[in-house]
Amino acid sequence: MQPDDPAPASGPAPISASAEDFQRTLAVVQGRIDAAAQRAGRDPKEVRLLPVSKTVPEERLRAAHAAGIIQMGENKVQEAQRKSENLADLGIHWALIGHLQTNKARSAAAFAEEFQALDSLRLAQALDRRLQEAGRGMDVYVQVNSSGEDSKFGLPPAEVPAFLAQLGPCSSLRIRGLMTLAANTPDRERVRACFRLMRDLRDAALEAGTIGPGLLSMGMSGDFEMAIEEGSTCVRVGQAIFGARPSPTA
Ligand SMILES: *Cc1c(COP(=O)(O)O)cnc(C)c1O
């Protein structure tokens, strides 16, 4: 937009709708990622931004793609599969980031490049079998319940080492690292403790040789800068890019 363009018609809160809007919003988020990495003495290139497109309609995702968003995270397999079919022409990399029931393994194996919420051996085996059938592989993160909150999925931290050690035979799963949602609390130190716990689990697994490159998917719109300070290599950002979601549980 040129500086002398007329002001846009006033309307509801500014949510990115055009590719240009998305480019601006992305630049802001990327700037915050870079600054957090630099504060922590890290190379910003170590931190991947995974835009979380759940609940966002397909037309807006086309605009987001035009702005350079080529990977998207979704938490529901049905919604993700529908989007992957309707947006197939765009070649988007789809990452499933939410809990998956074992009976949805076949659906996930059909289109997702990546699954960040592995939390049971049964599911690992089901995914592996479906992937073998489809002749595909998948990047996988093991989800950890780092906050201990009942509402959260993921393995208890104490079970992570033994779980990772059992995944070897699932040869179509490429184990990339660990994923978590930190405590949902205004207490910043409790949030930070979740991220530190994840880093310690990752370091132990690297030593045991059970976690591939040992990546850490942690940090969302409300806490991604702190997650980067504590070692995150993948931040999953929805609302800071796409605007507030209608329902807090969505
Ligand atoms: C929704 C979601 C996010 C993104 O949350 P925002 O607050 O929109 O940034 C990240 N990770 C998971 C697993 C999610 O379900």
Side-chain angles (χ1 to χ4, degrees), residues 52-58 60-61 73-76 79-80 82-83 238-239 242-250:
V52 175
S53 52
K54 65 188 186 194
T55 78
V56 180
E58 286 160 10
R60 287 191 69 214
L61 297 186
E74 290 279 339
N75 67 336
K76 297 202 173 98
E79 177 181 348
R82 174 189 33 93
K83 288 175 174 173
Q239 300 183 80
F242 293 102
R245 278 185 300 276
S247 146
T249 57

Side-chain angles (χ1 to χ4, degrees), residues 2-224:
Q2 298 303 311
D4 56 353
D5 276 359
S10 65
I15 57 170
S16 306
S18 67
E20 231 184 21
D21 291 336
F22 275 116
Q23 264 159 4
R24 266 193 296 272
T25 313
L26 272 178
V28 171
V29 171
Q30 191 60 54
R32 289 172 58 190
I33 290 172
D34 294 354
Q38 271 148 13
R39 272 199 306 281
R42 301 183 56 203
D43 180 350
K45 291 195 200 70
E46 287 173 15
V47 184
R48 162 186 168 209
L49 170 60
L50 174 59
V52 175
S53 52
K54 65 188 186 194
T55 78
V56 180
E58 286 160 10
E59 317 82 71
R60 287 191 69 214
L61 297 186
R62 286 194 175 273
H65 178 269
I69 294 183
I70 56 171
Q71 46 180 321
M72 298 184 188
E74 290 279 339
N75 67 336
K76 297 202 173 98
V77 68
Q78 225 176 329
E79 177 181 348
Q81 187 163 25
R82 174 189 33 93
K83 288 175 174 173
S84 78
E85 285 164 4
N86 294 341
L87 302 175
D89 54 307
L90 302 182
I92 290 165
H93 169 113
W94 293 100
L96 286 173
I97 59 174
H99 181 71
L100 186 67
Q101 288 175 329
T102 305
N103 63 9
K104 305 267 174 64
R106 191 223 290 260
S107 164
F111 73 95
E113 315 288 345
E114 179 174 2
F115 175 50
Q116 294 204 353
L118 183 63
D119 60 0
S120 86
L121 194 57
R122 255 185 82 223
L123 177 58
Q125 289 164 343
L127 274 173
D128 185 51
R129 185 159 73 88
R130 297 308 189 178
L131 286 162
Q132 304 274 2
E133 285 168 7
R136 305 182 66 221
M138 189 183 269
D139 287 347
V140 167
Y141 290 67
V142 172
Q143 184 172 356
V144 182
N145 185 351
S146 59
S147 68
E149 291 166 324
D150 289 341
S151 58
K152 295 226 167 49
F153 288 105
L155 291 173
E159 293 178 18
V160 171
F163 181 75
L164 286 168
Q166 286 176 299
L167 295 176
C170 298
S171 58
S172 52
L173 304 183
R174 296 182 295 260
I175 308 304
R176 307 294 289 163
L178 304 176
M179 179 276 243
T180 202
L181 287 88
N184 187 10
T185 166
D187 180 347
R188 305 299 284 170
E189 286 317 300
R190 271 185 60 209
V191 175
R192 194 179 290 278
C194 293
F195 295 143
R196 291 199 168 150
L197 171 66
M198 294 293 289
R199 195 176 53 198
D200 290 346
L201 284 172
R202 188 275 312 271
D203 289 347
L206 275 176
E207 211 150 289
T210 52
I211 197 170
L215 303 180
L216 282 178
S217 175
M218 54 190 200
M220 322 195 336
S221 293
D223 59 17
F224 70 83

